[in-house]
Amino acid sequence: MNSTMRRIGLTGGIGSGKSTVAAMLAELGACIIDADAISRQLTAAGGAAMPAIASKFGADFVNASGALDRDAMRKQVFSDPTSKRQLEAIIHPLVASQTAAQALIAERAGAPCVVFDVPLLVESGHWRPRLHQVLVIDCTESRQISRVMQRSAWTREAVQLVMAGQADRAQRLAAADLCIYNDTVSMVELAALVRTVALRFGL
């Protein structure tokens, strides 16, 4: 790893506020590389992952525009672990290639810090050697559920299904070098916590 550019992993369960923290870090000068956004691009119409997905899973998982039918695939991977592994085998190498390319661009541009926003950082197992530090955004499970139900109009059961496919709080906290507890804090208080952490990243 480049000794001058800090490589930070940012993760947290659904509804933890991870994306809000990423935006705050970006305002402080971090280069954010969003693995979820890259995955969505890969599975959009014309995305690099779509030919392999269509071949492996069939037309039922491709919508009318040629993009991944995310609802259908979500139901499939939650009910069938084999499908989950097959989808990951298609998407994960492409995401890894894209994140590496974006990090190289940031490094060449002299970025002081790159933050890899990775929802499944702990679950993937391969990120830790590529990072200087891991920042976990934590909150109670009840808070996760209420936030997602409010923002996305999901049912409680739908949120719990997603949470069941993610590492639990204890696993994420065990992987953390730094943690921001984002449960009952205000946005002003959260911003102050992020500024304090950002100093550790050279921002």
Side-chain angles (χ1 to χ4, degrees), residues 2-183:
N2 177 7
S3 60
T4 58
M5 186 179 76
R6 304 298 293 171
R7 292 172 175 259
I8 308 301
L10 172 65
T11 195
I14 187 172
S16 64
K18 176 182 59 64
S19 297
T20 300
V21 171
M24 290 177 174
L25 287 169
E27 289 178 1
L28 295 170
C31 173
I32 308 296
I33 297 178
D34 186 337
D36 222 19
I38 292 171
S39 178
R40 289 193 295 272
Q41 291 166 1
L42 292 168
T43 55
M50 288 311 300
I53 289 172
S55 175
K56 175 65 70 174
F57 293 97
D60 289 345
F61 295 92
V62 181
N63 66 24
S65 69
L68 175 68
D69 186 327
R70 300 180 74 84
D71 288 337
M73 185 60 77
R74 186 182 296 113
K75 293 173 184 175
Q76 178 69 16
V77 299
F78 282 134
S79 64
D80 179 14
T82 298
S83 293
K84 183 173 186 287
R85 289 191 294 270
Q86 290 172 334
L87 181 65
E88 289 172 346
I90 294 169
I91 293 178
H92 284 185
L94 294 171
V95 172
S97 176
Q98 288 284 335
T99 56
Q102 290 185 24
L104 182 59
I105 291 169
E107 183 179 334
R108 288 175 173 170
C113 172
V114 168
V115 174
F116 296 91
D117 180 348
V118 186
L120 300 181
L121 185 151
V122 174
E123 296 85 338
S124 70
H126 64 81
W127 274 97
R128 177 72 259 194
R130 301 164 58 185
L131 304 169
H132 290 101
Q133 290 178 300
V134 172
L135 171 61
V136 169
I137 312 305
D138 181 47
C139 68
T140 61
E141 292 182 356
S142 60
R143 184 71 62 180
Q144 290 180 256
I145 292 168
S146 64
R147 281 177 179 157
V148 179
M149 288 177 67
Q150 183 175 23
R151 80 180 184 205
S152 302
W154 285 13
T155 64
R156 177 177 296 272
E157 292 72 22
V159 183
Q160 290 173 324
L161 268 176
V162 173
M163 290 170 63
Q166 297 183 334
D168 60 29
R169 289 181 69 193
Q171 290 170 318
R172 281 193 295 270
L173 291 173
D177 297 300
L178 297 161
C179 177
I180 291 176
Y181 185 57
N182 180 34
D183 197 78

